[in-house]
Amino acid sequence: MRIVAAMLATAAASLALVATAGAATIGVQIKSTGFSPGSVSLTHGDAVTWKNVDKVDHQVVADDGSFASPILHAGQSYTTTFNRAGSFRYHDSFAAKHAGRITVKGPPPSLTLALSEPIVNYGAVVTLSGAISTGAANQSVEIDATAYGQASPIQLVVLKTGTGGAFSYAVTPKLYTTYVARWNNTASGTVLVQVAPKLQLLAGKNGYMRAVLTAPISMAGKHVSLQRLSSFGQWVNLSNLTLGTLNGKLFKPADYLPKGTSHIRVFLSVNQAGLGLLAAHSGTQTINKK
């Protein structure tokens, strides 16, 4: 039984150590001559305990009003936890000339960066947004971009943070592009926007339609596939349409379709799109062939 009791006591002690390992409590004595020590440093999440070791009453009050103890009689203590980084000056309300300072170390500075849309059609606007960890306004944040095939990032803009340390910026990427924000010698994680050429299938006169592709590079000589939706819900290739010098192709869908109702679209494969671009497809058009 003694062995079991000893084991339980050891386990309890270990658990106590684990429970308290994440934070510390620093003691400050209140003497007739002032606070001892008068200045302490700690990490956010740590606590300070003031103990009145004098024979008369004292009271600990922060200069900015962020904390205040009750009146401490001889032998009494007051503890508060600091969860915010910064420098906190305080004094004894019963002896204003007695003052002290708490310096709280916070987490390293950081900032976030996010996208409004991760995949867009060419020409679409994407909003980059984020915030700095301090929440301070009027701080300079740099946004850099690296487009596909680019050797190194380029600086797009330097922004000033607003309320809550937030910032935002609109971009119109042409190819796959990664973005990163920088502030106070700290970089955010990178975010990636993927870009697909904008492909349209436009109705014309006399049964004609036009496939129109908008992209950052010429697509002349490349082809889009005319596709028909099968009864099984699959898109089936009917023909390859070669694009002209204006990235377009005029054609008559009925030449490729069976009689009846057909749902069609045009599709650009990733191989035809080229490096730094996604595959693309148009919206669906309905054709009735007699």
Side-chain angles (χ1 to χ4, degrees):
M1 293 296 291
R2 290 180 180 176
I3 294 175
V4 172
M7 291 175 64
L8 290 173
T10 300
S14 298
L15 289 173
L17 287 172
V18 170
T20 59
T25 299
I26 298 174
V28 176
Q29 292 185 332
I30 309 174
K31 300 180 178 181
S32 60
T33 55
F35 299 103
S36 180
S39 179
V40 297
S41 295
L42 57 141
T43 301
H44 71 288
D46 289 349
V48 175
T49 295
W50 288 267
K51 183 175 182 180
N52 184 1
V53 297
D54 196 9
K55 296 179 181 180
V56 298
D57 293 345
H58 294 278
Q59 185 181 29
V60 179
V61 179
D63 291 0
D64 64 0
S66 58
F67 60 89
S69 76
I71 295 173
L72 301 175
H73 305 304
Q76 290 186 325
S77 298
Y78 165 71
T79 300
T80 189
T81 300
F82 292 85
N83 292 312
R84 178 167 58 92
S87 180
F88 302 89
R89 295 184 179 274
Y90 65 93
H91 61 276
D92 184 346
S93 66
F94 284 83
K97 67 178 182 179
H98 294 166
R101 184 174 67 181
I102 307 296
T103 301
V104 184
K105 301 173 184 177
S110 63
L111 72 162
T112 59
L113 184 64
L115 297 168
S116 59
E117 295 288 342
I119 299 176
V120 296
N121 287 329
Y122 176 72
V125 175
V126 177
T127 300
L128 302 170
S129 60
I132 61 174
S133 58
T134 63
N138 204 37
Q139 296 291 298
S140 296
V141 174
E142 174 186 327
I143 296 181
D144 297 342
T146 307
Y148 184 89
Q150 188 177 302
S152 59
I154 61 170
Q155 182 187 104
L156 287 184
V157 68
V158 176
L159 304 168
K160 291 294 185 180
T161 57
T163 303
F167 60 90
S168 65
Y169 186 67
V171 295
T172 307
K174 295 181 178 180
L175 299 169
Y176 283 23
T177 304
T178 57
Y179 299 92
V180 63
R182 304 183 191 278
W183 161 74
N184 198 18
N185 297 317
T186 301
S188 70
T190 59
V191 293
L192 170 65
V193 179
Q194 299 185 73
V195 181
K198 184 178 180 180
L199 184 54
Q200 298 172 282
L201 181 57
L202 306 176
K205 296 180 179 180
N206 302 319
Y208 280 90
M209 284 190 167
R210 186 174 184 84
V212 179
L213 187 65
T214 308
I217 58 175
S218 173
M219 294 287 180
K222 295 191 176 184
H223 67 257
V224 294
S225 299
L226 173 63
Q227 297 182 328
R228 177 176 181 269
L229 187 64
S230 73
S231 58
F232 300 102
Q234 298 174 325
W235 288 102
V236 178
N237 288 346
L238 299 179
S239 179
N240 289 330
L241 308 174
T242 302
L243 299 173
T245 56
L246 298 179
N247 290 355
K249 175 66 178 180
L250 186 67
F251 67 102
K252 203 168 190 176
D255 293 343
Y256 307 93
L257 299 173
K259 291 183 178 181
T261 300
S262 295
H263 303 291
I264 64 171
R265 72 176 188 181
V266 284
F267 172 78
L268 177 76
S269 70
V270 68
N271 289 335
Q272 291 297 305
L275 299 176
L277 292 168
L278 294 174
H281 61 79
S282 69
T284 302
Q285 296 275 10
T286 301
I287 302 295
N288 294 304
K289 181 178 179 180
K290 296 179 180 180

